[in-house]
Amino acid sequence: MDTPPHVSRPVPVPAPTGVVVLDGRSLPVADIVRLADGAVRPVPDADAMKHAEHSWDTARRLAASGRVYGRSTGVGANRSEDIPTEAAADHGLRLLRSHAGAIGDPLPAREVRAMLAVRANQLLAGGAGLRPTVITALCEALVAGAYPVVHEYGSVGTGDIAALAQLGLALAGEHRWQGSGPAPAPQALDNNDALALISSNALTLGQAALALDELRRLVNATELVAALSLLAVDGSYEAYAEPVHAARPHPGTTAVAGRMRELLGAPGRPTPPLGRIQDPYGFRCLPQIHGPAHDAADALERTLAVEINAAAENPLISPDDLAAYHHGGFYLAGLSLALDHFRLSLAQVARLSTSRLAALNEPAYTRLRPFLAGSEPASSGVMILEYAAGAALGDLRACSAPASLGHAVLSRGVEEQASFASLAARQTLRVSEPYRLVVGCELVAAVRALRQRDLRPDPELPVGRAFALAEAVLDVEHADRPLTDDVTSAAALLDTFGTMTFGELARVTRGTGTA
């Protein structure tokens, strides 16, 4: 049988292996990621579906008997223009068609699937007044591996209306689906459904959830890499001592210091080492720089947890009051600021990695040849890694510019402000690759330094198990040669460093035969 014209040829998606119940109240960021990856299938909560149906009935009654924005009126600057009763049936599709003008490249499947998951859960919060069969269709698409073509640009942080309008047209059978499975049956969307569907920031929230998940792992991994670098330069544990952080008890900073002690097997009150008095900032200030990054990640996750489970549609349909409340709850200033804060904190963490890389290149710290060079005269060793890491850090720094400083006046002046949370989410996704490469450069240098010094961290400690994994994938050759493949391998290993518990890390290491 031929593929319908609105459906693209299949692209494989993993079969779900578990279930996530969507109730509009309690979906965590981690489950958005699992739904986006196809690892689990969504099941709408029965009581939440009843609530959504009650909201839909209420919305239709209100629109039939009074003026409700977007249902019996136009939108934006057309908000005062009433929709004649005889034109109401077509109004919804016309609204979707006119707003489905997102531009730029099509988004990856993962980001679109995250959008579908967020929107399905939000609709179950019961404030949209949208027909419940749309929720079922979104869940069917997630299970089947189908997702609509959605383009990158169209939101300024006051609703992902262009992307969601493309979803709406796909649900109505007028826009292309792609993926590995069949598209949901077309929905009979009308004037009571169009604005209710697109009045959301589901794409921005989905992208932010994916970015947070990856970057939190990478920050965790960076601490293991930093621990390897500390050993390579005979660094001091004093900066992570319990009294230091009890005297200045910021939550994130204290937690990072404790984690560094655990990674290194360091005591709470270490004995000062012989030799230099104190280490460079790359080692000494790690808790003070990583701590705020963890705090920023926690703050971002709290903000996302509210938004993913929110009924933020305008107007909000309240069946208990038999009312439609017009409001600005869709405005994502809080998320935009949280994303900006998180990216700025990551820029500091990545910059600290380049500081440690510089220390690894310095004979005064390693007691090795400059740039960890091989035995040939005037060898450059890993010199180029400082340049490569600096270039990647430049991209990361550019992506860290605050999106919340943006401004826009739209729709004939009636929408005179914008949060640009959508830009903040895209920028946060984009910092992952340069961040990963910066830390990959440090890992290559740290492993080389430990090898040249013939130092083997204790295999019973997390830092020792991490070293064994890195040694298994990084080339032992120290003669001058291209290091591109080394950094690529090291950067890929960071996900393993960032997601495993220490017990799991030991198990995987034993499986490689390197422990």
Side-chain angles (χ1 to χ4, degrees):
M1 182 176 177
D2 290 340
T3 303
H6 63 285
V7 182
S8 69
R9 295 293 177 183
V11 175
V13 171
T17 58
V19 169
V20 166
V21 176
L22 307 183
D23 60 10
R25 300 187 306 274
S26 60
L27 186 67
V29 167
D31 282 347
I32 293 295
V33 176
R34 294 201 296 160
L35 287 164
D37 288 336
V40 292
R41 61 185 180 89
V43 175
D45 176 77
D47 289 339
M49 283 293 284
K50 290 177 184 176
H51 187 41
E53 186 166 355
H54 191 193
S55 176
W56 182 47
D57 290 338
T58 301
R60 287 185 296 164
R61 290 168 59 191
L62 291 169
S65 61
R67 300 180 80 216
V68 180
Y69 178 75
R71 296 176 188 262
S72 56
T73 75
V75 298
N78 292 332
R79 68 195 186 284
S80 299
E81 187 171 342
D82 293 335
I83 306 300
T85 303
E86 61 274 14
D90 295 330
H91 173 61
L93 278 176
R94 286 192 290 105
L95 185 63
L96 291 175
R97 290 166 185 156
S98 66
H99 282 62
I103 60 175
D105 292 331
L107 291 172
R110 216 169 159 250
E111 295 177 31
V112 181
R113 286 174 57 82
M115 178 186 81
L116 301 185
V118 171
R119 195 65 191 116
N121 190 65
Q122 288 179 324
L123 293 172
L124 286 162
L130 179 68
R131 64 179 67 224
T133 57
V134 169
I135 301 170
T136 304
L138 294 176
C139 292
E140 288 174 354
L142 284 166
V143 172
Y147 58 97
V149 175
V150 173
H151 293 87
E152 185 172 15
Y153 301 113
S155 172
V156 292
T158 56
D160 297 326
I161 52 178
L164 289 165
Q166 290 184 315
L167 167 61
L169 286 185
L171 289 168
E174 293 191 7
H175 184 67
R176 185 163 60 93
W177 291 85
Q178 55 190 354
S180 59
Q187 300 286 304
L189 303 181
D190 61 20
N191 63 305
N192 283 301
D193 300 310
L195 184 66
L197 175 64
I198 68 176
S199 183
S200 162
N201 294 283
L203 175 59
T204 296
L205 296 171
Q207 290 172 320
L210 296 176
L212 173 61
D213 177 73
E214 180 175 7
L215 287 162
R216 195 192 281 276
R217 278 199 312 275
L218 292 177
V219 174
N220 289 339
T222 305
E223 286 153 18
L224 263 174
V225 176
L228 289 169
S229 296
L230 183 80
L231 295 178
V233 300
D234 296 321
S236 171
Y237 300 155
E238 286 180 280
Y240 318 126
E242 288 176 355
V244 171
H245 298 283
R248 188 171 177 262
H250 289 294
T253 302
T254 302
V256 168
R259 191 155 49 247
M260 291 300 291
R261 293 196 301 271
E262 186 174 2
L263 294 174
L264 292 157
R269 288 170 167 76
T271 302
L274 299 175
R276 62 177 177 269
I277 294 295
Q278 58 188 20
D279 291 328
Y281 280 11
F283 305 101
R284 184 159 40 110
C285 297
L286 187 144
Q288 290 75 19
I289 291 175
H290 280 237
H294 286 285
D295 290 340
D298 291 343
L300 174 56
E301 184 158 13
R302 288 192 297 270
T303 301
L304 283 170
V306 171
E307 296 292 345
I308 288 167
N309 295 285
E313 297 86 3
N314 177 43
L316 176 72
I317 303 302
S318 176
D320 293 343
D321 302 329
L322 196 61
Y325 292 106
H326 298 88
H327 63 89
F330 51 83
Y331 194 93
L332 285 185
L335 180 62
S336 184
L337 291 166
L339 285 164
D340 284 353
H341 177 200
F342 184 43
R343 287 197 316 286
L344 288 167
S345 73
L346 293 173
Q348 297 241 354
V349 171
R351 196 162 63 216
L352 203 68
S353 176
T354 65
S355 297
R356 291 190 296 273
L357 177 58
L360 290 166
N361 280 334
E362 177 51 57
Y365 295 116
T366 63
R367 290 177 287 184
L368 298 168
R369 295 189 66 195
F371 308 112
L372 307 177
S375 58
E376 294 298 318
S379 292
S380 295
V382 298
M383 178 194 293
I384 198 61
L385 294 187
E386 285 195 77
Y387 295 80
L393 183 63
D395 268 16
L396 192 157
R397 188 167 53 244
C399 286
S400 298
S404 53
L405 290 176
H407 178 59
V409 178
L410 305 167
S411 197
R412 298 174 57 198
V414 301
E415 297 171 4
E416 74 281 17
Q417 181 81 332
S419 75
F420 282 95
S422 48
L423 173 60
R426 289 196 304 273
Q427 288 178 206
T428 308
L429 279 171
R430 287 169 181 161
V431 304
S432 296
E433 186 63 16
Y435 181 103
R436 182 186 295 275
L437 292 171
V438 167
V439 181
C441 289
E442 181 190 354
L443 179 55
V444 170
V447 170
R448 179 184 282 223
L450 288 166
R451 281 170 163 168
Q452 289 185 350
R453 297 192 61 196
D454 198 23
L455 295 175
R456 292 292 184 273
D458 185 345
E460 296 302 314
L461 292 174
V463 70
R465 298 191 286 270
F467 177 72
L469 282 174
E471 244 200 338
V473 301
L474 294 179
D475 197 324
V476 298
E477 178 59 62
H478 293 168
D480 283 353
R481 59 184 175 78
L483 295 172
T484 303
D485 290 345
D486 297 66
V487 175
T488 300
S489 297
L493 191 58
L494 297 179
D495 285 315
T496 304
F497 281 16
T499 56
M500 292 189 204
T501 64
F502 301 142
E504 289 172 325
L505 190 56
R507 174 178 54 77
V508 171
T509 305
R510 286 195 298 272
T512 65
T514 59

